[in-house]
Amino acid sequence: MNTVTERTPVLHTKLPAVGTTIFTVMSTLASESGAVNLGQGFPDFECDPQLVHAVTSAMTRGLNQYPPMAGVPALRQAIADKFLKLQGRAYDANTDITVTAGATQAIITVILAVVHPGDEVIVLEPCFDSYVPNIELAGGVVVRVPLTPGTFRPDFDKIASAITPRTRAILVNSPHNPSATVWTGADMLKLQEILAPTDVLLISDEVYEHMVFDADKGQIHQSAARFPGLAARAFIVSSFGKTYHVTGWKVGFVAAPAALSAEFRKVHQFNVFTVNTPVQHGLATYMANEQAYLDLPAFYQRKRDLFRAGLAKTRLKLLPSEGSYFQCVDISDVSALGEADFCKWLTTEIGVAAIPLSAFYGDGFDQRVVRFCFAKKDETLNAALARLAKL
Ligand code: GLN
């Protein structure tokens, strides 16, 4: 008998700074403590049964084998039609639109496709937690530019001075996670002006595109698609999960000029190859219902206002929530704890989970602000508010 030695090689990590995401950590703590989970951003209500029906009908009709690599043609056409209608830009469904396994896959695939080792990529902090590890996996150099503390507005002098001959791309996210701010048309024009003399690519994370509030004050979603100088250099990323309350389906898309999409698809085909067929067919059918996304701002604005009215009775200080399904609050009148400890305390002692903004900064910058997600049933929001009333 040979004796077999079991030897698991010790890995040299590619991502030494990375642990489990804050969203998983807080959701786990929330469920262990029986807390109302306003941490991780996802709805706790069902999607439209018509959408489920459209998907199950595709399955029963036998649409269960690989779709074309770039996505089901009818879905790509529906996405292109929506861009033309809402943003006034014509994307070719064949060459410019690719369906992805959610926005997170779209973003890492863009980065792997365009970032060469040593290329610089600008991120605006606070930023979503996958961006930086994505750039590092591609061998890129992360260049962090802060959004203005307190207001989270872009500082274009800082952005302009961060651009060097090595800059490959800048990642922009509006409506913004975690701050719930929305870039104005003037912001987009300024970005367009700064990038004009460069070959810097724009990666525009627009997953909360249909959650922009206060239309009566003239606020709209300023997609990069509306600005020709940006659209020509942009990978625009969005997500059906956010718009249709199906974050677990993990389907999104990328819109980019044909030459950029061609490079994207080279990586995409060896990254996921394709995205599940019946969900794509179901979404293609369901997208004919324009009301579903046109009604979304009012749907979420009502929840925002309900939640804000309750929070206004506490000593938590409300920051603006212009878009997304997040509401940030300043905790400094309530607690002397840092953000991360406050969120743990709030979860275990008060029974409401939140996310510390420090998790969205490379250096853990703590400005005493935490994020709540209000994409919840009214009863969930009211249960959370009843607990938060102690503050
Ligand atoms: N985008 C959501 C959030 O910011 C969830 C992200 C995640 O769970 N990875 O909360």
Side-chain angles (χ1 to χ4, degrees), residues 21 23-24 39-42 104 128-129 177 207-208 242 325-326 355 360 371 373:
T21 83
F23 308 108
T24 305
Q40 192 177 21
F42 65 91
T104 304
F128 188 59
D129 68 346
N177 180 9
V207 299
Y208 301 101
K242 308 290 188 289
Y325 46 43
F326 301 117
I355 300 285
F360 298 80
R371 188 198 82 176
C373 170

Side-chain angles (χ1 to χ4, degrees), residues 12-64:
H12 174 48
T13 180
K14 287 188 154 189
L15 296 171
V18 168
T20 307
T21 83
I22 188 70
F23 308 108
T24 305
V25 170
M26 291 312 302
S27 283
T28 307
L29 189 61
S31 79
E32 283 167 5
S33 347
V36 182
N37 189 359
L38 304 187
Q40 192 177 21
F42 65 91
D44 73 342
F45 44 83
E46 290 304 316
C47 68
D48 185 346
Q50 303 264 10
L51 176 55
V52 174
H53 176 73
V55 171
T56 51
S57 147
M59 279 184 193
T60 50
R61 280 181 290 136
L63 297 167
N64 297 304

Side-chain angles (χ1 to χ4, degrees), residues 192-206:
Q192 181 169 254
E193 181 193 321
I194 289 171
L195 298 185
T198 75
D199 280 330
V200 175
L201 297 161
L202 171 63
I203 305 170
S204 188
D205 176 350
E206 303 186 9

